[in-house]
Amino acid sequence: MKKVFTLAMVLLAHITPAQKTETEALKKISNQFMMNYNADDYDAIFDMFNPQMKTAVPKDALSNFLSGLKAQAGSLESLVFSRYTNGVALYKSTYEKSVLGFNLSIDNESKINGMQVIPFTEFNSPKLVRNKTPMILPFKEEWSVFWGGDTEEDNYHVTVESQKGAFDLVIRDEKGQSFKTDGRTNEDYYVFGKDIIAPADGEVVLVVDGVKDNIPGQMNPVYVPGNTVIIKTANEEYLFFAHFKQHTIVVEQGQQIKQGELLGLCGNSGNSSEPHLHFHIQNVENMVNATGAKSFFAEIIVDGEVKKDYSPVRGERIKNR
């Protein structure tokens, strides 16, 4: 899984000092922005700019950016005031497919004089080195670790802050192949359509289920994780599953789930070149701002040998005991 693409637009100009709390004027403008954005009325948003912003950001440039944001992140579900950063109001903006930060500033005439979409970082994000919650592997049969471990040679994910403890997991046959014949179709891969199960109890905090599966060899960089589930454990660990098969996820956001319950089926959606499961743990829900942690499984069989509290590495064949 490749590094997530972050949308950003540096539009901060002529910023005036902000108050310590959200003003009624800011609240009104942020609500108006959300309404116009969801209605695809980008001209109306342009009309909310002051003259300096209109000069700095022409109407066509604004429309192109906002339409690109809409295509990648989806509709805007909420704008919640968070804090001031360097005198600018920061909102937590929750979209259909992402959570981002939204910097907003207005002048004395309640016209927008600064706006920016950035990664969102929560205050006091918990530190996480490894899981405290006992976990089983998120599948029922013997799978193989395609990428996993602590070195870049074994696991290219280590260079990405949110994914540095990640695994890419497949099923291989006795010849070491992940497919039956030529690998040209998803159905040819052993792992495609296999059950993905919950490694631990927790709450489902995110579900994305509408992304099409790729043709093997092609990838979708628009929504990198593809069809996604995130489970939050009681120990504030966020278990991240990516690349489910389209329309196979059987859990819903807000659902309490038990260890071993079915989440959905393995697929090839998102920035994925062949069917596989991407799994990692992170310290916050939003992958853009997260720090990854190492995953240890309570008791598993690794290349035929039972191992306890173990984190697999590339090339190992693993299954639950």
Side-chain angles (χ1 to χ4, degrees), residues 22 64 122 166 212 221-222 252 314 316:
E22 183 187 27
N64 288 338
E122 300 277 7
K212 292 182 179 179
V222 175
E252 298 180 351
R314 186 182 184 189
E316 292 181 330

Side-chain angles (χ1 to χ4, degrees), residues 203-222:
E203 178 189 358
V204 178
V205 295
L206 179 71
V207 172
V208 176
D209 194 31
V211 183
K212 292 182 179 179
D213 289 282
N214 305 320
I215 297 171
Q218 300 180 14
M219 296 189 288
N220 175 6
V222 175

Side-chain angles (χ1 to χ4, degrees), residues 15 39 50 73 82 138 166 173 193 202 223 237 245 279 288 306 312 319:
I15 301 300
N50 72 359
S82 175
D173 59 22
Y223 188 65
E237 303 144 340
K245 184 179 178 182
F279 173 76
V288 174
V306 176
K319 64 179 179 179

Side-chain angles (χ1 to χ4, degrees), residues 92 122 126 128 133 135 198-206 229-241 252 254-258 263 279-285:
K92 181 179 181 180
E122 300 277 7
L128 189 64
T133 304
M135 296 196 307
D201 297 354
E203 178 189 358
V204 178
V205 295
L206 179 71
V229 171
I230 300 178
I231 297 173
K232 179 184 177 182
T233 72
N235 291 313
E236 298 289 326
E237 303 144 340
Y238 290 82
L239 314 185
F240 193 108
F241 307 78
E252 298 180 351
Q255 179 178 341
Q256 296 294 324
I257 195 162
K258 294 294 185 182
L263 302 178
F279 173 76
H280 73 264
I281 299 177
Q282 57 193 38
N283 65 330
V284 295
E285 179 181 338

Side-chain angles (χ1 to χ4, degrees), residues 144-158 163-169 279 294 311-316:
S144 293
V145 183
F146 189 87
W147 291 109
D150 298 328
T151 68
E152 190 171 356
E153 181 181 5
D154 287 336
N155 190 5
Y156 82 91
H157 298 98
V158 299
Q163 303 176 43
K164 58 186 180 181
F167 300 99
D168 281 346
L169 301 155
F279 173 76
K294 197 167 180 179
S311 185
V313 298
R314 186 182 184 189
E316 292 181 330

Side-chain angles (χ1 to χ4, degrees), residues 18-23 26 81 83-90:
Q19 305 296 319
K20 292 184 178 180
T21 58
E22 183 187 27
T23 64
L26 270 170
F81 177 78
R83 59 190 184 271
Y84 284 99
T85 302
N86 298 323
V88 179
L90 173 64

